[in-house]
Amino acid sequence: MLNPHGECWVITDTAAGNQRQALALAEYLGMPMRHLVLQPRAPWSWLAPKLELGGRLALSARQRRLFAPPWPTVAIGCGRAAALFTRMLRRLSDGQCYTVQILDPRIDPAHWDTVVAPRHDRLDGPNVLQPLGSLNPVDDEWLADGRDACPGFAELPQPRVGVLLGGSRQGITLDGDYARQLSTRLLERQRGEGGSLLVLGSRRTSPVLVEVFRRSLRDVPGLVWAGPDDGRNPYPGVLGWADRLVVTPDSVNMLSEACAVGCPVQTFVAAPLPAKIERFHHALREAGLLHDLDGPTVRPPPPLRETADIAADLRQHIAARQRDASTA
């Protein structure tokens, strides 16, 4: 199917997870793309996307110059702040802009043409698409690029175990005690089967966790990466070369991307999870995509890759909109 004609705006706040999802979907659509990072001011920032009245005044003068006509053919937003502007675009463009909102906007999804909300959000509606996990760019080409970017990882002893560290969030505590428990289990298994450990922190990973892993894994082949001071981010290379991935339980995005690789994925849960995250874990386990760190070795599952399918669905809807407009 041909890509829709026209421009696609990607609208996000500064959150890396929101940007990653929206940009990944836009890349699969294959349209000329413009990324707007918009930060609404109070009171719109408090009430987005419910408070639409005077919404352009939510932006600074500089950002208003960016959020201006000509309006795009498609707008993809991710997160509540972006949802204010994708909602506005439907009205500002007289319905000509096809609006897509990623994640539950917390109001009626009928305000957008399509809402993409993961199943554990429990959002229903005739225009709601419900992937199992979060959208992401991980596919065979992305993984091959990651391996090309980090060729030295090929020399590390197998199994190469990638360890993705998130951070504490409401209802989930990842502190020094958690890090010591996780590192102890990783070391015990590495001593038994050999291999290497490639540990990656994220923006939310506390220095306490990083220091625990630096100390405990200093004699183990691999690396501990926690930011630019450790060199270029090797995340794509770690996913590309991993024989197994271990992911902390807090991040839907990290778990979704790990499950897109096609290698076994494990997690270590030290305390009961919040209900929404627990639903997500349960769905991954039911699909054979997620296992306990202390469990037996499993065969690699089929990768969880949903972004291309969501984009194909959107292309059909956008093309139908464009056909209707051309015959009106």
Side-chain angles (χ1 to χ4, degrees), residues 31-241:
M31 302 173 67
M33 180 173 52
R34 183 181 177 201
H35 183 196
L36 303 183
V37 179
L38 301 179
Q39 299 279 87
R41 298 179 290 195
W44 294 274
S45 60
W46 303 334
L47 301 172
K50 294 179 182 178
L51 178 59
E52 185 189 13
L53 183 66
R56 292 190 71 189
L57 297 176
L59 296 171
S60 66
R62 182 185 66 82
Q63 292 199 331
R64 279 201 299 276
R65 289 193 291 270
L66 300 175
F67 188 75
W71 305 118
T73 300
V74 178
I76 299 173
C78 188
R80 283 196 312 110
L84 168 63
F85 303 109
T86 50
R87 179 185 178 186
M88 288 170 55
L89 275 170
R90 206 175 186 193
R91 172 180 54 80
L92 292 170
S93 69
D94 294 325
Q96 297 305 302
C97 175
Y98 192 99
T99 55
V100 181
Q101 183 59 34
I102 302 170
L103 301 180
D104 183 358
R106 309 290 178 87
I107 62 174
D108 189 344
H111 290 294
W112 293 267
D113 292 296
T114 297
V115 173
V116 182
R119 243 172 271 172
H120 60 270
D121 275 351
R122 292 182 171 176
L123 181 67
D124 293 315
N127 66 327
V128 177
L129 302 179
Q130 296 178 307
L132 174 55
S134 62
L135 306 182
N136 61 76
V138 179
D139 57 18
D140 289 342
E141 182 178 358
W142 189 92
L143 293 168
D145 288 343
R147 290 191 292 274
D148 289 343
C150 299
F153 289 171
E155 307 302 320
L156 290 171
Q158 292 182 271
R160 291 178 285 262
V161 180
V163 182
L164 310 183
L165 303 177
S168 295
R169 53 176 290 176
Q170 187 173 6
I172 300 178
T173 300
L174 301 186
D175 55 11
D177 182 59
Y178 176 90
R180 285 185 285 273
Q181 292 184 63
L182 176 55
S183 63
T184 297
R185 285 165 168 79
L186 291 168
L187 274 172
E188 287 174 351
R189 186 150 184 174
Q190 192 274 337
R191 288 169 183 147
E193 67 182 9
S196 49
L197 293 169
L198 299 104
V199 180
L200 300 179
S202 67
R203 296 183 186 186
R204 296 188 302 107
T205 306
S206 76
V208 172
L209 268 73
V210 174
E211 185 55 33
V212 168
F213 279 94
R214 288 199 195 280
R215 288 199 312 268
S216 61
L217 304 184
R218 59 183 177 272
D219 297 324
V220 177
L223 61 82
V224 176
W225 186 93
D229 288 346
D230 294 320
R232 185 179 61 178
N233 189 342
Y235 178 76
V238 170
L239 266 61
W241 287 107

Side-chain angles (χ1 to χ4, degrees), residues 4-8 31-32 73-74 322:
H5 58 79
E7 187 177 45
C8 175
M31 302 173 67
T73 300
V74 178
Q322 293 180 337

Side-chain angles (χ1 to χ4, degrees), residues 19 44 125 276:
Q19 293 186 8
W44 294 274
K276 184 185 287 190

